[in-house]
Amino acid sequence: MCGAQLHALPEGVQRVSRALQDAGHPHAPVMLDGAARTAQEAADGLGVQLGQIAKSVIFKRKDDGVAVLVVTSGDRRVDEKKVSALVGKIGRADAEFVKAQTGFSIGGVSPVAHLNTPVTLLDQDLWRFADIWAAAGHPHGVFQLQPDDLKRLTNAPVADVVQAVMVSHGEPA
């Protein structure tokens, strides 16, 4: 991406693009025509499975107010008890906290290029897919990567951080 193209992008996407370039990541952010504020919107806009969307969920650690980022597969729900067991008690983060800590608005939180480095956990279920997509700092911005790229870019541990998936008979999968 040339400098002129980069300046046409929103500030958050520029920050993510620079971080990806600095890390030698092969895929630059792309801007979708429609919003990708939710994992479903992103999957629909990209024509991929919901689980291929690496959604970034921010929590606030209760002890010290530090942001906790959980990057999870779009078809999964974060299990707050599992996350708390790993990083300490967490609570919901409001939009103001998310913006102040990450520099991104809800719906566009990237797993990289945060203003303040969060405590980060990666959902092991992302490894079900060869290619995944993450937000690139804006509700219309996304970038492609592989789960191992996400681990390399964030230097975060991979963990079981989601609620059990139920199969049709009500048994955990």
Side-chain angles (χ1 to χ4, degrees):
M1 179 173 297
C2 74
Q5 289 175 307
L6 186 60
H7 291 298
L9 296 172
E11 188 276 331
V13 179
Q14 291 181 39
R15 213 167 63 236
V16 171
S17 183
R18 281 191 297 273
L20 294 174
Q21 285 177 337
D22 290 350
H25 187 69
H27 301 289
V30 295
M31 298 298 285
L32 300 175
D33 291 333
R37 282 186 172 84
T38 67
Q40 189 64 62
E41 286 176 346
D44 292 347
L46 291 163
V48 300
Q49 294 179 53
L50 180 58
Q52 288 179 266
I53 303 303
K55 65 181 176 183
S56 295
V57 183
I58 298 287
F59 296 95
K60 184 176 184 177
R61 190 160 55 190
K62 291 185 177 182
D63 288 348
D64 56 10
V66 168
V68 175
L69 167 65
V70 179
V71 184
T72 185
S73 198
D75 60 351
R76 300 293 192 249
R77 292 185 55 88
V78 174
D79 185 323
E80 293 181 38
K81 288 180 182 173
K82 289 180 180 178
V83 174
S84 290
L86 295 168
V87 302
K89 291 262 187 234
I90 58 168
R92 298 279 176 183
D94 64 18
E96 186 177 317
F97 176 83
V98 171
K99 181 74 170 176
Q101 291 298 308
T102 68
F104 306 120
S105 297
I106 291 174
V109 177
S110 173
V112 299
H114 290 228
L115 292 180
N116 300 294
T117 304
V119 171
T120 305
L121 297 172
L122 305 178
D123 171 16
Q124 64 190 13
D125 287 353
L126 288 164
W127 272 259
R128 295 176 293 155
F129 303 98
D131 293 304
I132 57 175
W133 292 82
H138 185 275
H140 289 255
V142 294
F143 68 97
Q144 185 178 3
L145 68 168
Q146 295 176 338
D148 286 341
D149 296 329
L150 181 62
K151 183 161 178 44
R152 182 178 55 82
L153 291 166
T154 62
N155 198 28
V158 177
D160 175 7
V161 292
V162 297
Q163 296 174 0
V165 178
M166 297 295 173
V167 291
S168 59
H169 301 294
E171 297 293 322

